[in-house]
Amino acid sequence: MLIILPLLAQLQDVTAPPAGTSAPPQDEIRVIGRKLRDWRGAIRLGDHAAGCVTKRSTGDRDIDQIGRDAMTTCVPMFEAALKDAYARTTDKAVRERSAADITQRMTACFEAQHDMRITALADRRAAQRSDSTH
C-alpha cells in the first residue's frame, strides 16, 4: 500500500533547549522548519519495514532526512487504525470522521518528531560552525 502524506502541519518553534545545553540559534531552527514545510514524501507500508522516498526535496539532504524519518516513525504507528477505520463501516461520513481523528493524531506525531529532529540538526550545525572557527 502506498500512502502519500503532504506534511502540511505548521511546525512550532522549539522554545527551550534541554537542561545543561546551549540553545541552537533560533534563526537556524526557523529556517530548517520553513524548508521542511516544502518537503513531500511517499511511504510504502507492508509486511516489512516502512520505506520512505522524497517526492519533493528541500534541496538539503539533512532536512529531507527529517521528513523521511518522521514518516517512517509515525505512519506505521497509525497504519492499523487507518485500515480499521475504512474496514469498519461503509458509511462514508463515519469513515471520514475516524480518518480525520487518526490523521490529527498522526500530525501531532509528525510535529513532535520534527521539533526533536530540527533541534538536533540545528545543534549539529551550530557545533560544526563553532568547531570550524576554532
Side-chain angles (χ1 to χ4, degrees):
M1 167 158 63
L2 182 66
I3 297 177
I4 297 176
L5 295 172
L7 302 179
L8 300 176
Q10 294 293 341
L11 299 175
Q12 301 170 351
D13 285 339
V14 177
T15 57
T21 63
S22 61
Q26 291 299 308
D27 287 344
E28 180 83 13
I29 289 173
R30 278 190 284 281
V31 167
I32 294 169
R34 190 171 44 249
K35 287 181 178 181
L36 185 58
R37 281 193 296 265
D38 292 335
W39 180 86
R40 298 291 182 269
I43 188 164
R44 184 172 302 280
L45 301 170
D47 297 335
H48 304 289
C52 183
V53 295
T54 296
K55 294 292 186 175
R56 182 169 56 185
S57 176
T58 64
D60 183 317
R61 195 173 77 203
D62 294 330
I63 296 173
D64 291 352
Q65 189 63 49
I66 291 171
R68 288 190 301 273
D69 288 346
M71 284 187 79
T72 57
T73 298
C74 297
V75 173
M77 293 170 48
F78 296 94
E79 177 186 14
L82 278 170
K83 286 179 180 178
D84 184 53
Y86 283 97
R88 195 173 347 157
T89 181
T90 58
D91 184 322
K92 184 178 178 181
V94 171
R95 283 194 324 247
E96 287 177 355
R97 279 193 303 275
S98 293
D101 175 61
I102 296 163
T103 299
Q104 185 176 22
R105 290 185 286 144
M106 194 169 9
T107 297
C109 180
F110 287 139
E111 289 173 346
Q113 288 292 314
H114 289 168
D115 287 348
M116 176 184 67
R117 294 170 191 280
I118 287 169
T119 300
L121 178 58
D123 283 339
R124 281 193 313 273
R125 288 181 174 179
Q128 288 170 346
R129 280 192 299 276
S130 176
D131 288 347
S132 69
T133 60
H134 294 263

